[in-house]
Amino acid sequence: MTNDGQPIPVIIDCDTGVDDALALLFAVRHPGLDLRAVTCVAGNTDVDGVVRNTLTVLERAGAPDIPVARGAGRPLIEPARSARHVHGEDGMGDLGLPAPTRAPADVGAIALLRREILASPRPVTLVPTAPLTNIALLLRTHPEVTANIERVVFMGGAVATGNATPVAEFNVWHDPEAAAILLTAGVPLTMYGLDVFQRVVVPGADVRRLRASEEPGARLAGDLLSHRPAAPDLAAELLSRRPPASDVAPDPEAGGIGDAGAVCAVVDPAGITTRLLPVEVSLAPGPTRGQTIVDRRPRPGESEIHVGHREQQLVDVALEVDVDRFVKLYLETVTGI
Ligand code: BDR
Ligand code: CA
């Protein structure tokens, strides 16, 4: 809720996407959120597939009236490169879901974002859970929207280990220039990166309970979670906070909520521990491209002493997440109990 007791106005920009779908189910069901629009961008699958999946999820969630718009079909510079090997041929785990019964908005994503942000009586929280192409185009085309943006809470980047490359997370790697535009736009930012993203996992027993539900939205959440086996918690292992995955009893039916964690962080910011840190995106060709370089040094180094300070945006970077708290929040919201 906002300080005056009203639901927080949010817009999700997504590439639905199994875990984007989990995020949408959560957002439409949480009473503290007012989901004003959903915009679609190429990422996990092609943008037409993203639009179709998004409309289908909203119908299944019982929220068929939220405007949905088609956005960029490819990154600013590079070609689109899908993640179908993770999200299935249809981008939604190949669950055989029906086609949606309605069409997207008759305006594109950038126009819809502009319209909804400027029309909102309270500043909007933007939640991109996808490559940042639409957001960069919006900020460059209509910079006046920043006056009515409360904060951007984005799923993207990584402090420690990447997934698309050893150091780059998929959403930032897919369109690094777009991420750089967001990072230098001067809006307050929270980075919900891979370090916390991978940790919020729903136990198998809860996934089975959701899958057995009579209610279509909760059942869909269960089916989607069963398509998201928990990834080994590499970041925690590397920092010796957890035993190696091989020492932990496997829970093959457990599933990560992924992008939905970023929406949980909007509703319940105390569930993550953040630090305000300088963040920069590597735009260099080669092995670092798309890396988010998060400066956690306690004091300036030789580079700053000899070469001078560079302008870098400070970002609230999520370093820790209360896993049990977000799992409970997710399950209670999606099942309505
Ligand atoms: C991100 O990439 C996509 O596969 C997920 O939906 C998430 O947004 C994780 O790197
Ligand atoms: Ca996504």
Side-chain angles (χ1 to χ4, degrees), residues 15 19-20 44 87 129 155 163 169-171 194 197 259:
D15 60 342
D19 57 325
D20 305 78
N44 290 325
H87 295 262
T129 59
M155 189 287 128
N163 55 0
E169 179 281 330
F170 175 80
N171 289 340
L194 218 45
F197 167 98
D259 287 340

Side-chain angles (χ1 to χ4, degrees), residues 8-11 117 123-128 146 148-154 182 187-191 265-266 269 272 274 276 313-317:
I8 301 167
V10 294
I11 299 177
I117 292 169
V124 170
T125 298
L126 277 186
V127 192
T146 57
N148 209 29
I149 293 177
E150 175 76 25
R151 163 168 290 279
V152 180
V153 179
F154 70 100
L182 172 65
V187 286
L189 296 172
T190 300
M191 175 172 137
V266 175
I272 53 173
T274 64
L276 198 59
Q313 167 118 5
L314 293 174
V315 176
D316 260 317
V317 179

Side-chain angles (χ1 to χ4, degrees), residues 153-192:
V153 179
F154 70 100
M155 189 287 128
V159 180
T161 308
N163 55 0
T165 78
V167 295
E169 179 281 330
F170 175 80
N171 289 340
V172 173
W173 170 83
H174 198 255
D175 196 342
E177 280 73 20
I181 288 172
L182 172 65
L183 284 176
T184 52
V187 286
L189 296 172
T190 300
M191 175 172 137
Y192 187 87

Side-chain angles (χ1 to χ4, degrees), residues 10 91 98 113 199 209-210 245 255 263 269 292 328:
V10 294
L113 282 161
R199 297 193 48 210
R209 186 168 54 83
L210 288 171
V263 193
T292 43
K328 185 166 180 282

